């Protein structure tokens, strides 16, 4: 026989959940607290209270409730699954999340959501094979859930099993033809395996469902692969109009413009990239490349100096030395070459640059000496071989 207290707590809980779903969090919290007063072990109300407090920005009150449930003898699989979800997506406490999902499965072996979420946390932890098996078990229990097949496909793709990944994504869109995640990922895989025309069809299907800046970005990438550069540029511009803070979008636009030899516009794109992230080394690489191609050597030199404060890659060291050479600041360029060759005496690029420096200094003998060094350490270095012929026949 159900007692009055149990009826009361359930009524309060149901009203609290109704208010929570309608974003009336203050009233929801009040009702959930009243339900917990009726039963101090009413864990469904306590897990709902956690999410309510989270929505209200009162995270400092959440931890003690999480700890209480985590150390409890609760036998409600849904509570464990929701606690695991909170640990996974809010707390980023993956080990705790995994334990919660395992407890949910211990209580109910047929709980598809717990198997699926278990797979998700294992995936985040890098255990892709076990994650895949967990998602597969979820699919056995709930075969009409497209998101489970999305998760299966993601695991296959992470394991470089692209045919299996495509099969799982196709199953997802068979269940839900408007599964944008599956459509866009099918396009990405097809593009990566050389089936770009098919990829374009799938990304267009996704865009018919929703105009989204990320989908437009992916479409621009596919069009780039198809060497449809003008269409790609138009599409990435549409993406950036929808969301101008898309760092990767500006980066891609810059690379596309370099491919089109529009270095002036590329510089503007990479200026955006570096405004959003001054430590983006790849952004600096393309910015400097564009400046050099436009003959803006002083600006390129300034760029090298900036990036070398955060990254001492040999490319940037060489580029600085080469720019100084082009600017006829030969002694500064030579100083960099000598310093680099002191740390790596086999670097042919710096020997060749030294040869060019000495040639500019009208010291042909030393120029020949260093170009020979370059060829000694890289016998197929065409630039060095060609320069040696120029020196010997000049």
């Amino acid at each position: 026989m159900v007692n009055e207290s149990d009826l009361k707590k359930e009524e309060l809980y149901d009203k609290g959940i109704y208010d929570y779903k309608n974003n009336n969090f203050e009233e929801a919290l009040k009702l959930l607290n009243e339900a917990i007063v009726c039963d101090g072990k009413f864990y469904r109300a306590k897990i709902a209270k956690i999410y309510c407090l989270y929505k209200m920005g009162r995270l400092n009150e959440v931890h003690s409730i999480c700890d209480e449930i985590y150390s409890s003898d609760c036998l409600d699989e849904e509570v464990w699954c929701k606690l695991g979800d909170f640990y996974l997506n809010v707390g980023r406490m993956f080990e705790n999340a995994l334990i919660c999902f395992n407890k949910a499965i211990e209580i109910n072996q047929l709980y598809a959501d717990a198997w699926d979420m278990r797979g998700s946390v294992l995936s985040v932890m890098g255990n892709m094979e076990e994650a895949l098996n967990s998602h597969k078990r979820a699919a056995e229990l709930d075969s009409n859930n497209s998101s489970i097949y999305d998760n299966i496909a993601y695991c296959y793709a992470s394991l470089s099993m692209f045919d299996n990944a495509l099969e799982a994504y196709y199953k997802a869109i068979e269940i839900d033809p408007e599964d944008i995640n599956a459509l866009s990922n099918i396009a990405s895989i097809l593009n990566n395996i050389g089936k770009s025309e098919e990829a374009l069809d799938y990304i267009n299907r996704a865009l018919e469902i929703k105009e989204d800046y990320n989908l437009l970005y992916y479409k621009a990438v596919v069009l780039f692969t198809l060497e449809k550069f003008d269409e790609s540029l138009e599409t990435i511009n549409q993406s950036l109009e929808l969301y101008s803070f898309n760092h990767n979008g500006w980066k891609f636009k810059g690379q596309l413009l370099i491919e089109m030899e529009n270095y002036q516009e590329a510089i503007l794109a990479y200026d955006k990239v570096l405004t959003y992230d001054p430590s983006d080394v790849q952004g600096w690489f393309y910015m400097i490349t564009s400046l050099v191609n436009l003959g803006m050597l002083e600006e390129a030199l300034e760029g090298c100096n900036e990036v070398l404060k955060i990254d001492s890659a040999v490319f940037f060291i060489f580029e600085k030395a080469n720019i100084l050479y082009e600017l006829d600041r030969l002694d500064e360029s030579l100083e960099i070459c000598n310093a680099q060759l002191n740390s790596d005496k086999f670097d042919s690029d710096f020997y060749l640059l030294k040869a060019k420096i000495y040639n500019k200094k009208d010291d042909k003998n030393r120029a020949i000496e260093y170009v020979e060094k370059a060829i000694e350490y890289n016998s197929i270095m065409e630039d060095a071989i060609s320069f040696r012929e120029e020196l010997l026949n000049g």
Side-chain angles (χ1 to χ4, degrees):
M1 181 176 179
V2 179
N3 62 45
E4 189 175 337
S5 177
D6 285 340
L7 289 173
K8 182 66 174 176
K9 76 176 185 184
E10 291 292 344
E11 181 184 354
L12 289 164
Y13 173 78
D14 289 341
K15 288 180 178 178
I17 294 300
Y18 177 83
D19 279 322
Y20 175 84
K21 288 179 178 178
N22 285 281
N23 299 322
N24 189 358
F25 301 124
E26 288 285 355
E27 185 60 26
L29 183 60
K30 177 184 173 184
L31 291 163
L32 292 169
N33 279 331
E34 289 180 23
I36 293 166
V37 169
C38 294
D39 180 356
K41 289 192 173 184
F42 193 9
Y43 294 114
R44 275 190 295 130
K46 291 187 176 186
I47 198 72
K49 180 179 177 179
I50 287 172
Y51 280 90
C52 196
L53 288 167
Y54 169 66
K55 290 286 188 179
M56 296 167 73
R58 292 162 59 176
L59 272 172
N60 59 314
E61 300 174 51
V62 164
H63 303 298
S64 61
I65 308 172
C66 289
D67 291 343
E68 179 190 348
I69 300 172
Y70 186 73
S71 59
S72 75
D73 56 358
C74 176
L75 295 176
D76 187 329
E77 65 268 31
E78 188 176 343
V79 169
W80 285 112
C81 201
K82 287 182 176 178
L83 181 60
D85 185 36
F86 191 84
Y87 277 134
L88 170 60
N89 292 306
V90 180
R92 312 301 288 171
M93 298 170 67
F94 306 130
E95 292 288 350
N96 285 31
L98 183 58
I99 288 170
C100 289
F101 296 132
N102 284 338
K103 285 190 176 184
I105 292 166
E106 285 174 16
I107 296 167
N108 182 359
Q109 289 280 328
L110 304 180
Y111 193 11
D113 285 350
W115 282 105
D116 193 39
M117 293 298 293
R118 179 178 182 271
S120 294
V121 74
L122 286 166
S123 177
V124 172
M125 295 169 75
N127 191 341
M128 302 309 298
E129 292 184 359
E130 193 175 345
L132 177 60
N133 290 332
S134 197
H135 289 309
K136 282 183 174 180
R137 179 60 178 143
E140 291 172 5
L141 297 167
D142 185 4
S143 60
N144 288 314
N145 188 329
S146 65
S147 68
I148 294 175
Y149 287 98
D150 284 342
N151 292 333
I152 290 171
Y154 175 78
C155 290
Y156 275 129
S158 298
L159 293 165
S160 299
M161 300 172 69
F162 299 115
D163 288 341
N164 299 78
L166 284 172
E167 184 180 346
Y169 280 130
Y170 290 141
K171 179 65 177 176
I173 59 171
E174 180 184 322
I175 297 167
D176 178 8
E178 296 193 353
D179 185 339
I180 290 176
N181 179 67
L183 289 167
S184 61
N185 280 299
I186 289 170
S188 178
I189 292 172
L190 288 172
N191 192 51
N192 288 336
I193 63 175
K195 297 182 177 181
S196 299
E197 290 288 356
E198 291 179 52
L200 191 58
D201 289 339
Y202 278 96
I203 206 68
N204 282 333
R205 280 177 59 180
L207 281 164
E208 286 172 8
I209 299 164
K210 180 182 180 183
E211 187 179 45
D212 175 82
Y213 77 92
N214 266 324
L215 294 175
L216 287 165
Y217 167 77
Y218 294 140
K219 180 177 179 179
V221 171
V222 174
L223 288 166
F224 177 87
T225 306
L226 290 166
E227 298 186 358
K228 297 180 178 181
F229 300 134
D230 290 333
E231 291 178 60
S232 181
L233 182 59
E234 181 182 350
T235 304
I236 197 59
N237 282 335
Q238 290 172 1
S239 173
L240 291 167
E241 284 174 13
L242 289 178
Y243 183 59
S244 63
F245 297 100
N246 183 3
H247 179 262
N248 287 329
W250 286 108
K251 215 165 167 179
F252 172 77
K253 181 178 178 179
Q255 291 171 333
L256 172 60
L257 288 164
I258 288 174
E259 184 68 32
M260 299 171 76
E261 298 185 1
N262 187 343
Y263 300 112
Q264 192 67 56
E265 292 294 321
I267 287 170
L268 297 177
Y270 282 110
D271 187 55
K272 287 279 191 181
V273 171
L274 295 170
T275 298
Y276 297 141
D277 182 7
S279 65
D280 189 319
V281 173
Q282 189 183 43
W284 280 111
F285 171 86
Y286 287 113
M287 171 66 90
I288 292 165
T289 299
S290 299
L291 289 166
V292 168
N293 275 288
L294 285 172
M296 300 172 67
L297 298 180
E298 292 288 354
E299 292 85 349
L301 180 61
E302 184 179 337
C304 285
N305 287 332
E306 285 300 315
V307 73
L308 284 167
K309 293 175 184 177
I310 58 173
D311 192 300
S312 57
V314 173
F315 167 82
F316 295 114
I317 296 171
F318 179 80
E319 195 65 23
K320 179 177 179 178
N322 196 53
I323 292 168
L324 288 166
Y325 164 79
E326 294 291 344
L327 289 167
D328 289 326
R329 291 163 62 174
L330 302 180
D331 290 336
E332 294 173 69
S333 181
L334 188 59
E335 183 179 353
I336 293 172
C337 289
N338 288 334
Q340 182 61 28
L341 288 167
N342 281 337
S343 62
D344 180 6
K345 68 177 183 178
F346 302 108
D347 196 319
S348 299
D349 289 326
F350 284 93
Y351 280 119
L352 176 56
L353 183 54
K354 278 188 75 170
K356 291 180 177 180
I357 291 168
Y358 278 110
N359 188 51
K360 262 194 179 184
K361 283 174 169 282
D362 294 323
D363 190 339
K364 190 172 182 178
N365 289 334
R366 296 195 78 177
I368 292 171
E369 175 189 347
Y370 287 116
V371 79
E372 293 285 4
K373 277 282 188 185
I375 295 169
E376 177 185 347
Y377 295 127
N378 184 354
S379 60
I380 59 172
M381 190 178 188
E382 291 183 1
D383 287 349
I385 294 168
S386 174
F387 188 60
R388 181 177 62 180
E389 292 298 316
E390 181 184 328
L391 288 170
L392 293 175
N393 297 322

